[in-house]
Amino acid sequence: MSSPLLRWGLVLLFCLLAPVGFAKEAKVRRAKAKAPRLVRIHSGHRLHRDAAAAFERMAAEARTAGQPLLVTSGWRSYQQQRFLWRRYRKGLGPKAARPGRSNHNRGLAVDLVVGSEEASPTYDWLAGNACRFGFRRTVASEPWHWEYRPKSTSAPEDGVDCLGRPLDVEPSPAVVRQDAS
Ligand SMILES: [Zn+2]
């Protein structure tokens, strides 16, 4: 007598709970899709794979120019960011963004050794060249913090660097040969 009722009860329960289960599964899938795909860069730190590829190209060119880029921080987990943020709040560490709010958590920010002042050769190289690789400085008080923002960072015009300073134009080999003959 109670069995049809029980059956309908179970069907009703399933109809009520199934969407919750599906929604939860979708949420997990979305979170996984959102998690940055990390790639290790030469320093051992990790960055989002697009940022990592651009960074390695930039680092290779910097090295050739005699300004090797030393990384002190790349991707940070939520827990690492929370640790830094709490230290900052207690006045025990340098400024740190709230966990989840830092581009370090997305693998899109990198901290570099730029020397103690902005006039350092490494900083100067970054200021003049980083934009060509989609990187730029985003925090006024942090000359070491560079972010990969390719969509909003435009490459310089021909003949000038990222600060608009004229480049030393080297004659191409073809021109040199022409001059020699
Ligand atoms: Zn940073």
Side-chain angles (χ1 to χ4, degrees):
M1 194 167 73
S2 69
S3 116
L5 196 64
L6 186 68
R7 212 177 305 142
W8 281 112
L10 285 174
V11 168
L12 186 68
L13 196 66
F14 176 79
C15 291
L16 285 175
L17 292 181
V20 176
F22 293 146
K24 209 169 179 183
E25 210 173 280
K27 205 173 165 188
V28 168
R29 236 179 299 134
R30 268 202 306 276
K32 273 188 184 160
K34 241 176 110 181
R37 297 183 182 186
L38 300 169
V39 171
R40 208 169 282 280
I41 52 174
H42 69 268
S43 62
H45 293 274
R46 283 180 287 176
L47 288 178
H48 180 284
R49 67 175 173 182
D50 297 342
F55 180 80
E56 294 289 38
R57 282 199 304 277
M58 177 165 81
E61 206 172 296
R63 206 158 38 235
T64 307
Q67 300 300 334
L69 301 180
L70 302 176
V71 182
T72 58
S73 185
W75 170 78
R76 291 180 201 143
S77 68
Y78 187 89
Q79 286 79 4
Q80 285 169 321
Q81 190 68 35
R82 192 174 54 190
F83 172 77
L84 293 174
W85 186 65
R86 285 183 176 163
R87 269 180 22 137
Y88 161 64
R89 296 272 293 188
K90 287 180 190 161
L92 299 173
K95 195 174 172 187
R98 205 180 268 271
R101 298 286 294 274
S102 167
N103 264 331
H104 282 288
N105 302 150
R106 296 179 193 93
L108 298 175
V110 64
D111 291 345
L112 302 166
V113 175
V114 292
S116 56
E117 49 191 288
E118 292 174 20
S120 83
T122 304
Y123 183 85
D124 192 63
W125 189 91
L126 284 165
N129 294 279
C131 76
R132 293 193 287 114
F133 303 92
F135 281 88
R136 64 190 165 96
R137 182 178 161 183
T138 54
V139 183
S141 59
E142 299 183 1
W144 59 85
H145 178 95
W146 294 75
E147 293 192 4
Y148 181 62
R149 296 194 183 189
K151 282 182 190 152
S152 57
T153 305
S154 43
E157 301 196 349
D158 285 348
V160 295
D161 72 3
C162 297
L163 296 177
R165 298 178 298 198
L167 297 171
D168 304 330
V169 182
E170 287 172 28
S172 71
V175 174
V176 172
R177 261 201 308 280
Q178 213 171 31
D179 287 347
S181 64

